[in-house]
């Protein structure tokens, strides 16, 4: 497409509409490449699909740079670009002054909230439907795929879908049409549909490094990282059986978030020397230990207590044992009943650890 065909705002065309690629599995497969162990699409292919010049397309991405984290989009290195060119016979790939940008599937979905105009909406819908058909093909042929690979593909599908649904809050009034595209992602295979075959919890040979978070299988360490990562002010861990791993799982809390572990430290699983080592290795993490008052049997995680963002999670096992056995973490919907219990915890004295 020539620059002269573009008029008006980025992504909007007047007069003759440029020729658009017909999106189907074959056309899409020809434009998906494997880089850094993940499948990506390149900026010039996406620009052609959406009716942009490559420079105008990248200008739109640059103007919305805050939406494209490193796991959404990244620039190829010279070596990566040369490897791709050596595998592709298309002469038009040469002559670029800048190395191409690569977009992961999450990045492609994010583009749907950035690029505007009727053509962009139609192409976004076509991409979503094509991605869905490709994923359906994976599910239908699950017997032909190894369990480990199937788990990886299924979890990635779920993460991508969830990432896109979270973009709703970022859509402006001008982008209402794109909301319809995101709605259609509800048709994509979800983990709840795969739960019967995703993980064989009844097989002792299966490694137990997954847990069920709100009913969905999630990598155990990633589940805790995701929960703690939501905190903006405080994290309360209520658990009578703690160990060094209880602390290590808190290492990814955001800067400025205060971590308080409430425990009676039954079994003396955590020692002062381990706490000292943790504080030495992660001095930026403000962690305090207090007694639990001997009234708690279950384990809980409380995020941002007393704020509008407060969340409470009920944990089936101690975090120090995460990944060892099948366990469940579920968000508590009725938080009010826990308020006096947590208020009582805040009055408990500091926990003294043995060395």
């Amino acid at each position: 497409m020539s620059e002269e065909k573009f008029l008006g705002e980025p992504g909007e065309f007047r007069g003759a509409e440029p020729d658009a690629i017909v999106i189907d599995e074959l056309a899409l497969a020809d434009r998906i490449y494997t880089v850094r162990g993940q499948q990506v699409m390149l900026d010039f292919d996406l620009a052609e699909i959406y009716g942009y010049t490559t420079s105008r397309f990248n200008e739109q991405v640059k103007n919305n740079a805050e939406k494209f984290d490193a796991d959404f989009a990244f620039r190829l290195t010279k070596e990566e670009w040369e490897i791709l060119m050596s595998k592709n016979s298309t002469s038009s790939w040469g002559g670029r002054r800048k190395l191409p940008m690569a977009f992961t599937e999450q990045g492609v979905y994010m583009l749907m909230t950035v690029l505007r105009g009727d053509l962009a909406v139609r192409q976004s819908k076509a991409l979503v439907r094509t991605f869905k058909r490709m994923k359906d093909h994976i599910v239908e042929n699950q017997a032909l795929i190894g369990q480990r690979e199937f788990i990886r593909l299924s979890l990635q599908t779920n993460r991508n879908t969830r990432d896109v649904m979270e973009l709703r809050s970022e859509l402006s009034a001008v982008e209402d049409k794109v909301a319809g595209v995101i709605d259609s992602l509800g048709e994509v295979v979800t983990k709840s549909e795969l739960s019967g075959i995703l993980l064989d919890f009844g097989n002792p040979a299966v490694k137990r490094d997954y847990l069920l978070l709100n009913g969905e299988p999630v990598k155990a360490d990633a589940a805790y990282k995701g929960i703690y990562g939501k905190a903006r002010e405080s994290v309360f861990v209520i658990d009578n059986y703690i160990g060094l791993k209880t602390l290590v799982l808190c290492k990814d809390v955001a800067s400025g978030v205060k971590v308080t572990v409430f425990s009676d430290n039954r079994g003396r699983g955590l020692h002062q020397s381990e706490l000292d080592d943790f504080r030495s290795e992660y001095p930026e993490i403000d962690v305090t230990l207090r007694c639990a008052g001997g009234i708690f049997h279950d384990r809980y995680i409380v995020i941002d207590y007393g704020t509008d963002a407060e969340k409470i999670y009920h944990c089936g096992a101690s975090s120090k044992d995460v990944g060892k056995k099948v366990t469940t973490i579920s968000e508590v919907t009725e938080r009010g009943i826990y308020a006096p219990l947590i208020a009582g915890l805040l009055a408990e004295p500091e926990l003294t650890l043995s060395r």
Side-chain angles (χ1 to χ4, degrees):
M1 187 193 80
S2 64
E3 287 284 356
E4 288 72 19
K5 285 187 178 181
F6 181 89
L7 296 170
E9 292 299 316
E12 296 178 353
F13 293 85
R14 300 174 184 170
E17 186 176 274
D19 293 335
I21 294 175
V22 177
I23 304 295
D24 58 22
E25 286 91 340
L26 182 59
L28 191 60
D30 287 342
R31 290 170 171 78
I32 295 178
Y33 312 97
T34 300
V35 180
R36 303 181 192 179
Q38 56 187 325
Q39 291 187 314
V40 301
M41 296 185 71
L42 303 182
D43 55 7
F44 54 85
D45 283 328
L46 287 163
E48 186 178 3
I49 287 172
Y50 280 105
Y52 281 72
T53 62
T54 304
S55 60
R56 185 72 73 171
F57 173 89
N58 283 324
E59 180 182 321
Q60 284 295 90
V61 174
K62 183 178 179 180
N63 290 341
N64 294 273
E66 74 282 357
K67 294 186 176 184
F68 294 92
D69 294 339
D71 55 336
F72 284 19
F74 56 87
R75 191 171 297 282
L76 298 183
T77 65
K78 182 179 179 182
E79 292 74 19
E80 289 169 340
W81 178 227
E82 289 176 348
I83 290 172
L84 286 183
M85 285 197 297
S86 69
K87 295 179 179 179
N88 195 295
S89 59
T90 303
S91 59
S92 60
W93 274 32
R96 288 183 60 112
R97 286 178 292 178
K98 277 190 174 182
L99 294 166
M101 289 291 295
F103 293 80
T104 64
E105 187 176 348
Q106 296 98 317
V108 173
Y109 288 147
M110 180 64 81
L111 287 169
M112 297 175 189
T113 73
V114 172
L115 306 180
R116 301 173 182 174
D118 292 340
L119 175 60
V121 171
R122 289 201 301 276
Q123 295 294 67
S124 292
K125 289 179 179 178
L127 278 171
V128 168
R129 292 185 180 114
T130 302
F131 281 138
K132 178 187 181 299
R133 287 195 296 270
M134 294 174 74
K135 291 168 182 174
D136 284 347
H137 178 75
I138 292 174
V139 175
E140 291 167 4
N141 293 275
Q142 188 268 332
L144 304 178
I145 305 174
Q147 184 181 44
R148 181 175 296 277
E149 180 68 4
F150 185 65
I151 289 173
R152 187 185 67 79
L153 290 169
S154 299
L155 294 179
Q156 183 65 51
T157 295
N158 185 75
R159 281 196 297 270
N160 293 347
T161 303
R162 186 170 59 249
D163 288 341
V164 176
M165 298 308 292
E166 289 174 354
L167 299 181
R168 286 179 178 276
S169 60
E170 300 185 28
L171 293 175
S172 67
V174 181
E175 295 166 323
D176 283 343
K177 289 184 179 180
V178 184
V181 176
I182 294 180
D183 283 336
S184 68
L185 284 173
E187 299 175 4
V188 176
V189 177
T190 63
K191 258 189 291 192
S192 61
E193 294 171 307
L194 301 175
S195 59
I197 54 176
L198 184 60
L199 290 174
D200 184 4
F201 281 121
N203 184 351
V206 176
K207 188 178 180 181
R208 311 286 190 189
D209 54 355
Y210 287 83
L211 57 74
L212 294 171
L213 176 60
N214 291 327
E216 296 183 350
V218 179
K219 201 80 168 176
D221 286 5
Y224 280 91
K225 181 177 180 179
I227 292 173
Y228 293 154
K230 295 178 181 178
R232 293 296 173 264
E233 294 186 13
S234 65
V235 173
F236 294 167
V237 179
I238 305 170
D239 189 343
N240 276 326
Y241 294 90
I242 56 177
L244 180 59
K245 186 160 187 177
T246 305
L247 302 179
V248 172
L249 287 171
C250 298
K251 66 182 177 61
D252 294 307
V253 297
S255 176
V257 173
K258 295 184 177 181
V259 177
T260 306
V261 178
F262 297 93
S263 178
D264 294 322
N265 196 24
R266 293 177 183 170
R268 301 295 184 265
L270 183 67
H271 296 83
Q272 184 63 46
S273 58
E274 293 172 318
L275 176 61
D276 293 341
D277 289 344
F278 177 80
R279 285 173 169 166
S280 175
E281 186 170 354
Y282 300 101
E284 72 280 6
I285 299 177
D286 183 1
V287 58
T288 302
L289 272 63
R290 306 184 78 87
C291 296
I295 64 170
F296 283 88
H297 177 276
D298 292 353
R299 296 91 175 176
Y300 298 91
I301 298 171
V302 184
I303 302 297
D304 293 335
Y305 173 69
T307 72
D308 292 339
E310 178 184 287
K311 292 181 180 295
I312 300 178
Y313 297 87
H314 178 230
C315 308
S318 296
S319 55
K320 72 179 181 63
D321 298 321
V322 63
K324 293 182 180 179
K325 293 184 179 181
V326 178
T327 190
T328 297
I329 298 178
S330 300
E331 185 174 352
V332 174
T333 55
E334 299 295 332
R335 302 191 307 274
I337 193 172
Y338 291 92
L341 296 174
I342 298 172
L345 283 175
L346 294 172
E348 290 292 333
E350 186 172 340
L351 176 65
T352 301
L353 300 175
S354 61
R355 292 193 175 272

